[in-house]
Amino acid sequence: MANMYPPSPEFVKRARVQGMEGYLALYRKAAEQPEEFWGELAEKELEWFEKWSHVFEWNPPFAKWFAGGRLNASYNCVDRHLATHRKNKVAILWEGESGEQRQISYQELHRLVCRFANVLKGRGLKAGDRAIIYMGMVPELAVALLACARLGITHSVVFGGFSAEALRARIQDLEAQVVITADGAWRRGKEVRLKDAVDESLAGCPSVRDVIVYRRVGAGVPMQEGRDHWWHELDEGVSEVCPAEELDSEHPLFVLYTSGTTGKPKGIVHTTGGYLLHTHMTMQWVFDLRDEDTFWCTADIGWVTGHSYIVYGPLSAGATTMMYEGAPDFPQPDRFWRLIEKYWVNIFYTSPTAIRAFIRQGDQWPNGHDMSSLRLLGSVGEPFNPAAWEWYYKMIGKERCPIVDTWWQTETGGIMIAPMPGAVPLKPGSGTLPIPGILADVVDLQGKPVEANKEGFLIVRRPWPGIARTLWKDSGRYRQAYWERIEGVYLAGGAARRDEDGYFWILGRVDDVMNVSGHRLSTMEIESALVKHPAVAEAAVVGKPHEITGQAVACFVTLKKGNWNHDELGEDLRKWVAHEIGSFAKPEQIRFTDSLPKTRSGKIMRRLLREIVTSNSVTGDVTTLEDLSVVTRLSAQQDED
Ligand code: WTA
């Protein structure tokens, strides 16, 4: 039996949702009367220019929320706070890697967003156009998102760790008219040359008319006449007045590319009203947000967590959202704890990988800091092993702070399964129970719920406001990836079990998606990158259990005829993957083999390879593996029988 941690009476007393009765009342209402439930919240919690005609339309598998209603996400995140006590409240609290600080009030944010929206307008951009945003973690990144949202330009942020190749694929798929970037970004005291990557990526991107470059590091970068413009030059003398476009609730707010089970990333499409309501409500239900809180989500805005819980959720809810530019261990392993102490952070949201890395660095780092401002901790992105959970609870939260372990996905828009901290008793390693409106379950392939404590597929029965509407230009793949294998339900791609209390335990992915440091990577994507290398004949990639990052990338490679030096080639291939996708996708291990295990129909048996990397104690980056053909033949027979 897992340890149980009920919320303390002091926490419950001040919580937004109090006790299991509070949670159950909301959950039941949302399950029984979803339209009333969400309709009332949308009316109360968001500002609309025009009311919707229907709360919800469901033309399986395509959902619409508040269609016909008109609103603007930028208006909801900024303008609406200006007539309140929040006008001069800090909206974005930023610290640069080298220690610079910026505190941007809601009013100041309004000015920045309106100015940049006018810059975009000045380049002829308008509602329906697409912007690719490729920047480091500076406030202008949030400003760029909000300025796009203000005009109805659909944005797609590409994480700064992606390579020029990966960037190009996204620009092309989206047919973006503009790329918003920076000369560079700071990472562990070094410059990441973002503009160089943009220049490299733009060969073969005829849709891009303009590149807008924010000056962050002061690096000399070539500027192409007519195409490239400095942000600060376009911003000169621009008007501070820019009314927010009145957009349909179903207007696409952003596209975010994420890894799927094929080599091609999926462009997840999120729209406006439903997404905003989902992120706004989870700020209250799960993070129990209060006006006086300083809220810090340590994700990068290049991932969905940063979209939903650095920008849209917190700002819509009127929070002070903290943003940190650099690495967690720079200049020393206590940077996060230092920031919590310095800014009196109240709610801290990070990943299990970060926690496991901190555990390894030693207790002396958090111990040196006064973190008594904390009242709530959160986790996202990967299964949270109970030992790391306990350390987080004791060492960082001093047994005072509930931990909200939040399960969700790029596709879900916002948090789906997580405790309401003043209501639901915690069990280390469990995301506990779904939030209101989320009819989650664990089922077999026929869609039948499995018994308590039995493993099955994690599904959701009914669309919720923040659900992805489709995949960019590929509604067929949307249907097939999420809605077809088990009829009529959303298939999340994860395995899970529910215990005797109905608590959810997320066990990991059931498809060919790996989770490395909380980042989703597709085995197929890395395989396609590897086989582009002139030396490689075939490649198979699997996730290998890793103590800190959850999983690491392990590759099995067969080579074309030639005289290869395995050590050099192994290193070369690791760099190659970094070049094709990004440094965060670098394989930990490359193993050379004469043949890959396949079924008789020619499918690579990743299951077998997973077993090999899980049980085999061979370590080191480059390992030569003997011919796998014998094991293979045997297992292939079993697989197809
Ligand atoms: C995994 C990140 C266990 C899961 C918000 C999911 C988790 C994928 C948790 C989505 C959690 C996320 N416990 N696993 N609390 N949160 N995952 O799209 O495998 O980058 O499918 O969204 O991360 O990753 P994504």
Side-chain angles (χ1 to χ4, degrees), residues 304-305 381-383 405-410 506 509 515 520:
V304 74
T305 306
E382 0 155 26
D405 177 357
T406 63
W407 175 84
W408 58 294
Q409 307 174 290
T410 307
I506 314 292
R509 304 281 307 192
N515 193 325
R520 265 164 80 164

Side-chain angles (χ1 to χ4, degrees), residues 128-298:
D129 289 345
R130 278 89 51 206
I132 287 274
I133 306 180
Y134 184 67
M135 296 174 79
M137 285 283 284
V138 286
E140 279 66 19
L141 170 54
V143 168
L145 266 67
L146 293 164
C148 287
R150 196 165 191 86
L151 302 179
I153 300 167
T154 301
H155 62 69
S156 186
V157 184
V158 177
F159 172 58
F162 275 111
S163 69
E165 290 296 321
L167 181 60
R168 178 189 297 133
R170 287 155 176 75
I171 297 171
Q172 286 176 339
D173 192 61
L174 200 66
E175 296 170 279
Q177 287 82 0
V178 61
V179 176
I180 304 167
T181 187
D183 54 350
W186 291 116
R187 190 75 183 170
R188 294 201 170 84
K190 291 206 191 76
E191 278 175 33
V192 181
R193 310 261 321 169
L194 295 172
K195 173 65 165 55
D196 290 356
V198 170
D199 288 341
E200 196 185 329
S201 76
L202 284 180
C205 296
S207 63
V208 176
R209 297 192 310 252
D210 290 290
V211 176
I212 302 177
V213 188
Y214 176 71
R215 178 173 277 159
R216 170 62 191 136
V217 295
V221 293
M223 298 291 277
Q224 186 178 309
E225 185 71 32
R227 186 195 71 184
D228 300 354
H229 323 271
W230 286 107
W231 177 312
H232 60 267
E233 287 177 6
L234 295 178
D235 183 65
E236 254 170 55
V238 85
S239 160
E240 291 178 359
V241 181
C242 180
E245 289 286 321
E246 303 187 3
L247 301 166
D248 192 278
S249 176
E250 282 300 325
H251 186 81
L253 177 62
F254 66 86
V255 174
L256 192 56
Y257 286 87
T258 188
S259 296
T261 51
T262 72
K264 191 172 175 283
K266 302 188 277 198
I268 308 287
V269 178
H270 282 289
T271 59
T272 308
Y275 170 80
L276 204 61
L277 185 63
H278 188 163
T279 53
H280 180 98
M281 290 318 302
T282 43
M283 283 305 298
Q284 305 183 5
W285 288 333
V286 180
F287 294 116
D288 191 45
L289 185 76
R290 290 188 210 141
D291 222 357
E292 64 271 29
D293 283 330
T294 298
F295 176 83
W296 184 20
C297 164
T298 69

Side-chain angles (χ1 to χ4, degrees), residues 54 99 103 115 227 298 301 437 484:
H54 304 285
Q103 305 194 349
R115 292 184 75 108
R227 186 195 71 184
T298 69
I301 295 177
E484 253 172 17

